[in-house]
């Protein structure tokens, strides 16, 4: 299983357990968004490179960039959209989920991965084709089991 699918499983687990207001948002991985309308969270691998520590390459360990994009439609641009307040709540809740370091232990030994570290900068938000797009890019240091 891809690391992005493991992140999707984590987000789904957290939404189910602690964030019921996010249950209205579809969680998808790369290639699943063709016939989907907002709101949804797309999770995909956007880069990978071999991992080195102190200049020494660690065999089998890579730093994966996993991008998570929240797609919403601003209420001003459509009858059925997402208000700015609701979108801010979604962003805050997803940031809490994606930044939760217990994801390291949760993903490790599931779906064939050993995760060593996860880094998450603040999200960016922009307008894109009538949508509001909020993006987080996680850097996950991991190796397949």
């Amino acid at each position: 299983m891809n690391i992005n699918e493991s992140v999707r499983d984590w987000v789904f687990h957290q939404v189910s357990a602690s964030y019921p207001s996010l249950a209205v948002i579809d969680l998808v991985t790369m290639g699943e968004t063709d016939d989907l309308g907002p709101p949804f969270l797309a999770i995909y691998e956007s880069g990978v490179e071999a991992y080195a520590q102190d200049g020494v390459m660690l065999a089998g360990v890579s730093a994966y960039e996993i991008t998570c994009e929240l797609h919403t439609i601003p209420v001003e641009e459509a009858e059925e959209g997402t208000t700015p307040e609701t979108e801010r709540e979604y962003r805050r809740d997803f940031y809490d989920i994606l930044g939760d370091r217990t994801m390291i232990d949760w993903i490790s030994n599931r779906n064939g991965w050993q995760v060593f570290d996860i880094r998450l900068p603040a999200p960016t938000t922009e307008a894109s084709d009538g949508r509001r797009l909020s993006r987080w890019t996680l850097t996950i240091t991991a190796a397949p089991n």
Side-chain angles (χ1 to χ4, degrees):
M1 182 175 281
N2 296 332
I3 193 82
N4 56 312
E5 292 170 336
S6 296
V7 172
R8 182 197 55 203
D9 291 349
W10 163 255
V11 173
F12 179 79
H13 170 75
Q14 289 298 99
V15 167
S16 298
S18 304
Y19 297 88
S21 64
L22 297 177
V24 299
I25 298 173
D26 290 313
L27 306 175
V28 297
T29 55
M30 190 179 307
E32 297 177 336
T33 61
D34 291 343
D35 299 325
L36 193 60
F40 65 87
L41 183 73
I43 302 169
Y44 58 91
E45 184 179 305
S46 51
V48 63
E49 63 181 55
Y51 181 79
Q53 184 172 353
D54 299 326
V56 176
M57 300 297 286
L58 298 179
V61 179
S62 297
Y64 296 86
E65 283 191 3
I66 304 298
T67 299
C68 301
E69 292 179 342
L70 174 62
H71 294 247
T72 59
I73 296 178
V75 76
E76 299 82 29
E77 296 182 25
E79 285 183 20
E80 293 183 22
T82 304
T83 66
E85 296 81 20
T86 300
E87 199 271 338
R88 278 192 294 275
E89 289 176 28
Y90 290 165
R91 266 197 332 254
R92 184 185 61 241
D93 290 346
F94 278 125
Y95 188 68
D96 288 347
I97 291 169
L98 296 169
D100 186 340
R101 294 194 51 86
T102 59
M103 179 174 25
I104 293 171
D105 293 331
W106 195 90
I107 290 178
S108 290
N109 300 312
R110 287 183 199 270
N111 305 327
W113 290 97
Q114 175 62 50
V115 176
F116 304 106
D117 190 32
I118 296 177
R119 301 295 168 149
L120 177 66
T124 60
T125 301
E126 61 191 45
S128 176
D129 295 326
R131 295 181 181 188
R132 190 180 301 121
L133 182 65
S134 296
R135 182 179 295 118
W136 299 263
T137 301
L138 292 88
T139 302
I140 300 177
T141 305
N145 281 340

